[in-house]
Amino acid sequence: MKPHVALRGVTRVYPGKTPVYALGPIDLALERGEFFAVVGPSGCGKSTLLDVMAGLASPTAGEIVFEDRPVNGDVPPGIGVVFQEDASFPWLTVHDNIAFGLRQAGASEAEVARQVGYAIEFMGLKDFARAYPAQLSGGMRQRVCIARTLVLKPRLILLDEPFGALDQQTRLLMGDELLRLWRETGATILLITHALDEATMLADRVGVMSARPGRFLDVIATDWPRTRDSTIVASESFGRLTSRIWTLLRGESIRALGRA
Amino acid sequence: MSSAGWTRIALVAGLVLLLEALCRAGVIPNFTVIPPSAMAQSLWKVLASGKFTPDIIATLTNVGIAIAASMVVGIALGTLLQSWPAARRVLDPLFATYYAVPMYAFYPLLIVLFGLGDLPQVAIGFLLAVMAVIINTLNGLDRVPPVLVKAARVHGLGFLKTAHRVRLPYAAPYIFTGFKLAVAYSFIGVIGAEFITSSRGIGYEISFAYNNFDNPVMYAMILFILALVVTVNMSLHAWEKRLLARRRRA
């Protein structure tokens, strides 16, 4: 079967007097409906990888193919992105934030009301539809951003440390919600995270990246059932997998720290 | 109301009463200043007579045009410059010295250019106001978090739509500051210009009354401008507070 999204020899170099080799070369193929997580030491180019995959930045070399079309410097329809930083629009209510993309795409107001109503319900934001982002907690604002992405029914969702700013309990619960929406939408997900447990718990496969310039040291399959949830953190194989990833990553993290 | 608010009201009321007392006692002669109560009475008479209604309408129309033009041009230029750093580096030092230029010095030139109608007054108001809008638009756009611009790109927005739907709305509180200044500068520019060479308007009538020793009319019109500008600014301030409330972290 053809991969849903494929990267071949993707490299990103920031030019200058001393060029910065930020990423790659990266080769990666994601199956349709797969949940893939990327972990790596800080500054290894994880976010650059996401930018290049989303079409927010062009690769210096190599190519990205999404649904048989090359991605280069433009975000193709069908790709949704959730960022680490708060990307909610502070001048719009929760409802209007979530409706933003639909209205942009020219959906009728009846359609907007229906879709946004469903997303608000799904993300547990029902009591906050008329609130402004400033009145919400960080976790709530991130839900708004996820809902804004979801209503556009993306077939590939890229998440850049979406729960990075949240506390541990909220992160586990948000992880459960992410698994739920992954199952319900059937979308392909690429999640970038620095939290090993998050990667192990959520993903079908975990790509472990090296220190800069980031490339994959190994890709580890988790073999979780599709119906998993956060309770698997208690299982024996969860600990085994997480420690395997950490063994791979430890030396790289030390290298990254030494250079910082 | 806060205690500072009450103190402020008491301060203004006290000064008005003091002026009233000094005028009534003859310490300040009536051909210099008339008592505030007489100003208010005269204002009431002048407004009721309708004699100056065309002047008031002319002034307010010109101020309105100056505000609108400075907002449209200021926001457009600010947006353009913010996304064109090379041009901005060239112009920035000129912007910094802009308010050192006494705009009224150009009044003769403006009359040559625009004739003796309303346009020179509008032009002075516009010239004073537009830079405040440009500077505050730039300031607001500089603060737009890059992640919001990224989010706009993910939603497929081009340059103009990103400006219209994301960057300018984010910058709105800063642009509002520019708007408040534009309102103040437009009043200053238009009314000031009416003093110089104009055949109508509030500024013209004050100047005319002054030249004819008509203190009741002169002070009535001064009081009118004062009341108008204070009311407008307080309304804008209240509006701004309401707009900002929703943006502030709870």
Side-chain angles (χ1 to χ4, degrees):
Chain A
M1 208 174 84
K2 255 200 202 156
H4 193 197
V5 54
L7 287 77
R8 282 185 275 272
V10 168
T11 308
R12 173 97 172 149
V13 182
Y14 293 101
K17 271 191 195 136
T18 47
V20 177
Y21 294 86
L23 180 71
I26 293 269
D27 290 283
L28 178 66
L30 301 185
E31 300 306 324
R32 195 177 279 274
E34 179 177 8
F35 197 135
F36 191 91
V38 178
V39 292
S42 23
C44 75
K46 298 190 292 273
S47 294
T48 306
L49 172 66
L50 179 133
D51 279 0
V52 170
M53 280 182 80
L56 289 165
S58 298
T60 312
E63 62 164 358
I64 302 120
V65 177
F66 169 65
E67 297 180 347
D68 299 327
R69 283 193 196 158
V71 177
N72 200 336
D74 256 321
V75 186
I79 292 187
V81 185
V82 179
F83 298 98
Q84 176 178 16
E85 306 99 313
D86 174 19
S88 63
F89 298 135
W91 60 93
L92 296 177
T93 62
V94 166
H95 179 278
D96 289 344
N97 256 289
I98 299 172
F100 186 87
L102 289 170
R103 287 188 175 139
Q104 193 53 42
S108 71
E109 273 309 301
E111 179 69 6
V112 168
R114 203 176 60 75
Q115 298 273 7
V116 173
Y118 177 75
I120 281 177
E121 188 87 37
F122 187 87
M123 295 305 295
L125 292 163
K126 208 169 162 219
D127 297 333
F128 303 96
R130 286 162 168 280
Y132 287 89
Q135 292 146 4
L136 306 179
S137 66
M140 289 287 212
R141 282 202 290 276
Q142 201 53 286
R143 275 168 210 242
V144 172
C145 293
I146 293 172
R148 189 173 71 194
T149 303
L150 277 188
V151 287
L152 298 171
K153 305 211 179 337
R155 299 178 294 280
L156 171 64
I157 306 175
L158 307 171
L159 302 110
D160 186 3
E161 305 201 13
F163 313 137
L166 309 180
D167 63 77
Q168 179 71 15
Q169 290 96 310
T170 314
R171 269 177 43 207
L172 284 173
L173 293 177
M174 292 287 280
D176 276 337
E177 281 182 43
L178 190 56
L179 284 171
R180 188 165 60 101
L181 74 87
W182 169 61
R183 276 193 294 272
E184 291 199 16
T185 60
T188 308
I189 289 186
L190 180 123
L191 169 76
I192 286 172
T193 177
H194 61 260
L196 305 186
D197 54 342
E198 200 170 276
T200 315
M201 161 187 147
L202 295 172
D204 295 318
R205 290 192 296 158
V206 179
V208 182
M209 273 174 95
S210 68
R212 200 177 67 206
R215 59 189 91 193
F216 285 119
L217 294 169
D218 202 356
V219 174
I220 294 163
T222 57
D223 296 318
W224 302 125
R226 206 174 157 80
T227 52
R228 60 185 171 264
D229 62 32
S230 59
T231 55
I232 56 172
V233 297
S235 75
E236 192 199 334
S237 46
F238 177 83
R240 214 171 40 236
L241 281 164
T242 311
S243 59
R244 208 177 129 201
I245 295 170
W246 177 234
T247 310
L248 276 166
L249 208 52
R250 192 166 174 273
E252 294 300 318
S253 298
I254 291 169
R255 269 180 59 199
L257 269 179
R259 203 161 43 187
Chain B
M1 201 190 293
S2 65
S3 70
W6 286 114
T7 314
R8 187 162 45 240
I9 288 176
L11 181 71
V12 172
L15 287 174
V16 170
L17 285 174
L18 179 69
L19 183 63
E20 179 85 27
L22 292 175
C23 292
R24 294 276 174 213
V27 179
I28 301 174
N30 271 5
F31 58 79
T32 309
V33 182
I34 60 171
S37 59
M39 292 180 198
Q41 257 174 350
S42 169
L43 173 60
W44 178 249
K45 249 191 1 228
V46 161
L47 287 181
S49 77
K51 193 180 153 202
F52 295 121
T53 309
D55 295 288
I56 292 169
I57 290 173
T59 298
L60 292 184
T61 306
N62 290 343
V63 168
I65 294 171
I67 293 170
S70 65
M71 287 303 285
V72 172
V73 174
I75 290 173
L77 282 180
T79 309
L80 191 71
L81 279 177
Q82 208 268 343
S83 49
W84 191 8
R88 190 171 169 185
R89 275 194 298 276
V90 171
L91 293 174
D92 249 349
L94 302 179
F95 288 177
T97 50
Y98 186 86
Y99 280 116
V101 176
M103 285 308 157
Y104 292 102
F106 297 118
Y107 201 72
L109 175 68
L110 295 174
I111 290 180
V112 171
L113 283 177
F114 299 125
L116 282 170
D118 288 341
L119 269 181
Q121 286 88 280
V122 174
I124 293 237
F126 169 81
L127 286 172
L128 281 176
V130 72
M131 189 51 65
V133 181
I134 293 177
I135 288 170
N136 282 285
T137 302
L138 284 170
N139 183 25
L141 292 177
D142 286 344
R143 289 161 198 263
V144 177
V147 69
L148 295 191
V149 177
K150 268 192 185 179
R153 282 190 62 195
V154 172
H155 284 95
L157 274 64
F159 175 82
L160 281 179
K161 278 199 168 164
T162 302
H164 174 224
R165 303 281 307 272
V166 176
R167 293 170 69 224
L168 289 173
Y170 185 89
Y174 300 92
I175 297 172
F176 198 94
T177 303
F179 175 58
K180 282 200 312 189
L181 288 169
V183 170
Y185 280 130
S186 294
F187 270 104
I188 293 171
V190 168
I191 293 176
E194 283 170 352
F195 271 82
I196 308 175
T197 327
S198 170
S199 49
R200 57 180 185 154
I202 300 172
Y204 166 78
E205 292 299 347
I206 292 175
S207 166
F208 187 85
Y210 168 74
N211 287 320
N212 290 287
F213 306 103
D214 190 352
N215 269 355
V217 167
M218 184 180 89
Y219 280 112
M221 294 313 273
I222 291 176
L223 186 62
F224 178 75
I225 287 183
L226 210 60
L228 181 68
V229 172
V230 168
T231 310
V232 166
N233 272 288
M234 279 170 65
S235 316
L236 290 179
H237 188 70
W239 186 19
E240 184 181 34
K241 255 172 96 176
R242 268 219 334 262
L243 286 178
L244 283 181
R246 63 172 71 147
R247 299 272 290 257
R248 204 164 298 132
R249 302 256 173 257

